[in-house]
Amino acid sequence: MNVILSIAKTTIGEAIRRRVLLIILLIGVLFLVIAPGLSVLSARSSYTVLVSFTLGVIQLTSAVIAIVLTVYLLPNEVERRTIYTILSKPVYRWQFLLGKYLGAVGALGLMMALMTGILVLVFKIMQAEAGMDVVMTLARAPMMYFVQMSLLAAVAMFFSTFASPIVNFFLTGGVYLVGTLFSPVFQDIAGNNSVNAMVKTAATVIHTLVPNFAQFNVQNTIINSGSQLRSEQMYYLQMVAYAIAYVAVFLIGGMMIFDRKEV
Amino acid sequence: MNLAIETKKLTKTYKTSSGMQSVVKDLDLEVEKGEIFGFLGPNGAGKTTTIKILLGIIDGTSGEANVLGRPAGDIESHKRLSYLPEKPYYYEHMTGLEITQFYASLFGIKDKELCVNLLNRVNLGNDYNRPISQYSKGMQQRVGLAQSLLNDPELLFLDEPTGGLDPIAHIEIRDLILKFRDEGRTVFISSHELSDVERICDRVAIINKGEMVHQGRLDDLLSGGRIEVTADGVPENLADKFKGDDMTLSLRAGRLIADLPDTMSPNEMIDAIRTSGGSVVSVIPRRKRLEDLFLESVSGDNLAKGRVTGKMTDDKKADTKEEEVSS
């Protein structure tokens, strides 16, 4: 366990110093800060606009950070030959991969925590009358995004065991888009008995292989206070369990490929 | 025999666009415990591939590779060996001490004092608290050596340990390697610095195009030197007396320069020169140099392509070549 944590810690230290990630983070933070100014441009209520815009910024920024951070983790180690020094020590490849993944998740967590902190601050300034319960409700969305991004990082880590960073960027981005925009559609088709059997099978396969990223978005329940989840806690727990299961599948798959890979 | 490294018919083949290409072919390597072993070859000869196989980073296609009595790549043997790659890179945000502590943690070592002692041993002084990004190449190499000693290894793989260093750092690191042997460690060096190899290695192997060309003790491989005798006032007819197949003689204006094999005693020639009224100016034994042996070993292909020049430190080309093959 020490080996994995050491690799994770080093990965965090390096990730939070990567300029490209810091620039993406800075752009995200900038949008969060100017969000109150932009909300006056919309005809909808300023609360609705502020919440949907800021959460959208956090989701998009986190997704870009998660992909850019993870696609380069393994290739960089090979290119700089640090992987040779590490793997010549009593370190299993799966430990190395898991350490890198946990490091990526840790760095992602730190960056998302910063954005969430700024979100809460902006909100407290703009909605001074809002109580702590409103703020806590608002903070649930970034927490679910964090689970979502941890899953996205596992997808990128899986692809990085056999694809180049550029290919991985588009593969992971593609999986994220499909899983965010089309997963509910595939889910509906897969559960619809009136459609053609082949189409249904194809939809089921895609729905199973591609994680449903859309279900981590709990923005609607925050914006529309009228729409309540039947059992909110259970829903969140299910989502976390769903993410852990997929993360495990992607990481184990990645470990199996990486174990045979000639670096 | 007590072997630290042993390969039998080790072969590594890659699929390329032009078909299968062997980077290492039927390599039989034997490295004895407690010796400094030089692993030589021109760029793209298969040295790095062989080291990667021995470290378990890649698998051989066929044959056998054993390190410290276990199959190459065995995690147990990794506890007893260490590796310093060519041009090592370290996480730049970390200090020399932090890097050493990071590598120590991979062995489960938490002893900060051990790390500091090792950094002092490689003469990093008080610089270990500065970020690696501020280090010179020599300082980075010292950190590399310190991390390679963390587990008190029986076997060290050093890839170009003195490459690109200034003369002082070069000498210091060479002396450190000699100390490693004195401590009973086995040192496996892959290097293009032939003068270093000749000075510190007990045995060497030279490979070319993935195949073993020479392997053995340096003294044995470099036997067959020459002796040069120079004399003045030598009469013309004396040269005819010593003409032979394995000897070259030049006699001009009374000056004789004779080049004879070291298996032949120069005494007879010296006596004849003196008897004839000439005087011997010098008798210089010339040992065969490793560079000569190396050039002989690779001549005809790499030499003709201009890939063997001077100290042969064109490492980048070596990497490119091997990576091309690997891909």
Side-chain angles (χ1 to χ4, degrees):
Chain A
M1 196 62 189
N2 274 344
V3 169
I4 297 166
L5 291 179
S6 287
I7 294 170
K9 194 177 149 195
T10 314
T11 306
I12 294 172
E14 206 185 14
I16 58 172
R17 287 173 176 84
R18 273 185 64 191
R19 275 185 200 166
V20 63
L21 298 179
L22 293 178
I23 289 170
I24 298 167
L25 181 66
L26 193 71
I27 293 169
V29 167
L30 205 68
F31 273 107
L32 288 177
V33 173
I34 63 167
L38 294 174
S39 63
V40 298
L41 300 173
S42 173
R44 296 161 73 194
S45 82
S46 61
Y47 173 81
T48 307
V49 174
L50 189 64
V51 172
S52 63
F53 182 79
T54 49
L55 291 182
V57 166
I58 290 179
Q59 186 182 16
L60 185 65
T61 310
S62 306
V64 176
I65 289 174
I67 296 174
V68 174
L69 165 64
T70 320
V71 297
Y72 283 102
L73 278 183
L74 291 184
N76 273 356
E77 294 283 339
V78 176
E79 194 183 320
R80 297 178 313 198
R81 303 173 193 216
T82 35
I83 192 168
Y84 302 141
T85 324
I86 293 172
L87 292 183
S88 66
K89 307 275 185 269
V91 176
Y92 290 100
R93 288 190 179 207
W94 67 264
Q95 290 177 313
F96 180 75
L97 193 95
L98 187 57
K100 295 308 283 184
Y101 171 73
L102 291 178
V105 170
L108 201 56
L110 287 176
M111 293 183 189
M112 290 184 75
L114 177 74
M115 286 193 283
T116 307
I118 291 169
L119 169 74
V120 168
L121 203 66
V122 167
F123 220 80
K124 281 302 280 180
I125 293 168
M126 296 308 296
Q127 311 268 325
E129 72 283 0
M132 211 48 208
D133 54 331
V134 176
V135 173
M136 285 310 291
T137 307
L138 191 67
R140 275 181 209 159
M143 283 197 290
M144 289 312 284
Y145 289 152
F146 174 66
V147 179
Q148 185 189 48
M149 296 313 153
S150 301
L151 173 53
L152 185 63
V155 174
M157 192 57 108
F158 170 74
F159 286 132
S160 75
T161 57
F162 59 88
S164 69
I166 299 295
V167 173
N168 188 356
F169 182 86
F170 288 107
L171 278 174
T172 309
V175 168
Y176 185 63
L177 281 180
V178 171
T180 306
L181 302 175
F182 304 116
S183 222
V185 179
F186 290 125
Q187 191 175 6
D188 286 345
I189 296 171
N192 190 343
N193 290 325
S194 61
V195 295
N196 179 290
M198 268 183 62
V199 174
K200 192 177 170 183
T201 309
T204 308
V205 169
I206 295 171
H207 177 62
T208 310
L209 287 179
V210 178
N212 185 350
F213 287 105
Q215 61 193 348
F216 294 96
N217 196 340
V218 289
Q219 215 184 82
N220 279 344
T221 58
I222 296 169
I223 295 172
N224 307 311
S225 51
S227 66
Q228 290 289 322
L229 289 165
R230 231 176 294 162
S231 172
E232 209 169 342
Q233 279 183 339
M234 185 55 75
Y235 180 78
Y236 289 138
L237 280 175
Q238 278 177 352
M239 286 305 97
V240 171
Y242 176 89
I244 289 173
Y246 266 93
V247 165
V249 168
F250 279 111
L251 287 185
I252 291 169
M255 285 167 188
M256 288 167 74
I257 296 169
F258 189 56
D259 199 46
R260 289 166 179 76
K261 188 181 168 75
E262 300 208 327
V263 291
Chain B
M1 202 185 295
N2 211 1
L3 296 176
I5 299 170
E6 184 181 27
T7 69
K8 287 178 185 165
K9 300 275 177 204
L10 183 65
T11 300
K12 181 66 187 175
T13 308
Y14 287 106
K15 199 185 276 181
T16 64
S17 53
S18 56
M20 300 302 282
Q21 189 172 352
S22 291
V23 184
V24 178
K25 293 178 207 163
D26 294 330
L27 195 73
D28 292 329
L29 197 64
E30 289 186 345
V31 179
E32 292 167 21
K33 283 188 177 171
E35 71 177 1
I36 302 180
F37 188 89
F39 192 49
L40 313 174
N43 297 334
K47 300 189 300 291
T48 305
T49 303
T50 306
I51 291 176
K52 282 184 182 179
I53 295 172
L54 294 173
L55 291 170
I57 291 167
I58 58 174
D59 292 325
T61 309
S62 63
E64 205 180 302
N66 291 306
V67 177
L68 296 172
R70 288 172 176 271
D74 185 289
I75 211 86
E76 283 304 311
S77 63
H78 281 200
K79 291 177 184 170
R80 297 155 57 203
L81 62 81
S82 70
Y83 171 54
L84 174 66
E86 180 188 3
K87 296 179 193 160
Y89 174 91
Y90 302 107
Y91 303 109
E92 289 191 340
H93 65 279
M94 297 170 93
T95 65
L97 179 59
E98 285 169 345
I99 277 286
T100 314
Q101 284 180 296
F102 164 65
Y103 284 114
S105 71
L106 302 182
F107 288 104
I109 300 168
K110 291 178 181 170
D111 189 353
K112 184 182 173 183
E113 204 177 322
L114 170 75
C115 298
V116 172
N117 288 343
L118 285 175
L119 288 164
N120 282 328
R121 188 183 167 188
V122 295
N123 300 329
L124 199 65
N126 291 323
D127 290 318
Y128 57 67
N129 278 323
R130 281 167 52 199
I132 289 272
S133 55
Q134 297 175 10
Y135 283 15
S136 67
K137 185 168 170 47
M139 288 160 80
Q140 289 189 20
Q141 200 74 336
R142 285 169 213 269
V143 174
L145 280 170
Q147 67 82 19
S148 71
L149 292 172
L150 280 162
N151 56 329
D152 194 15
E154 293 169 43
L155 170 63
L156 289 107
F157 287 91
L158 307 178
D159 198 353
E160 294 292 349
T162 54
L165 299 182
D166 67 58
I168 295 169
H170 193 117
I171 292 165
E172 283 180 357
I173 287 183
R174 203 175 58 199
D175 290 346
L176 266 173
I177 294 170
L178 285 169
K179 278 183 194 162
F180 295 160
R181 179 180 56 190
D182 296 342
E183 291 164 356
R185 307 180 203 276
T186 309
V187 186
F188 183 94
I189 298 178
S190 169
S191 178
H192 283 154
E193 302 278 349
L194 298 181
S195 57
D196 280 348
V197 171
E198 191 170 349
R199 193 175 293 204
I200 65 176
C201 288
D202 302 298
R203 296 198 317 126
V204 298
I206 301 176
I207 64 165
N208 189 25
K209 292 183 174 175
E211 290 180 280
M212 183 69 77
V213 184
H214 288 294
Q215 180 174 210
R217 297 198 70 77
L218 263 176
D219 290 341
D220 297 336
L221 292 173
L222 300 182
S223 64
R226 313 285 298 178
I227 299 171
E228 189 183 275
V229 178
T230 308
D232 281 335
V234 179
E236 291 289 331
N237 61 347
L238 194 72
D240 299 334
K241 192 178 170 185
F242 290 101
K243 272 183 183 166
D245 289 342
D246 197 18
M247 186 190 302
T248 55
L249 286 169
S250 106
L251 183 58
R252 276 186 197 165
R255 167 155 279 214
L256 173 84
I257 299 174
D259 181 61
L260 48 149
D262 64 356
T263 48
M264 189 184 283
S265 168
N267 289 343
E268 192 186 343
M269 183 179 280
I270 293 167
D271 290 345
I273 291 167
R274 283 178 173 163
T275 310
S276 66
S279 59
V280 176
V281 177
S282 66
V283 178
I284 303 169
R286 294 199 192 281
R287 190 188 182 215
K288 192 174 180 179
R289 290 178 308 157
L290 182 57
E291 192 174 273
D292 301 328
L293 180 72
F294 185 89
L295 292 175
E296 275 172 27
S297 308
V298 302
S299 62
D301 39 70
N302 296 307
L303 191 62
K305 291 174 193 167
R307 280 161 56 193
V308 179
T309 52
K311 288 198 311 188
M312 288 157 285
T313 52
D314 199 354
D315 305 323
K316 200 167 184 177
K317 279 187 185 170
D319 299 339
T320 313
K321 175 69 183 170
E322 289 203 4
E323 275 158 20
E324 272 171 15
V325 173
S326 303
S327 62

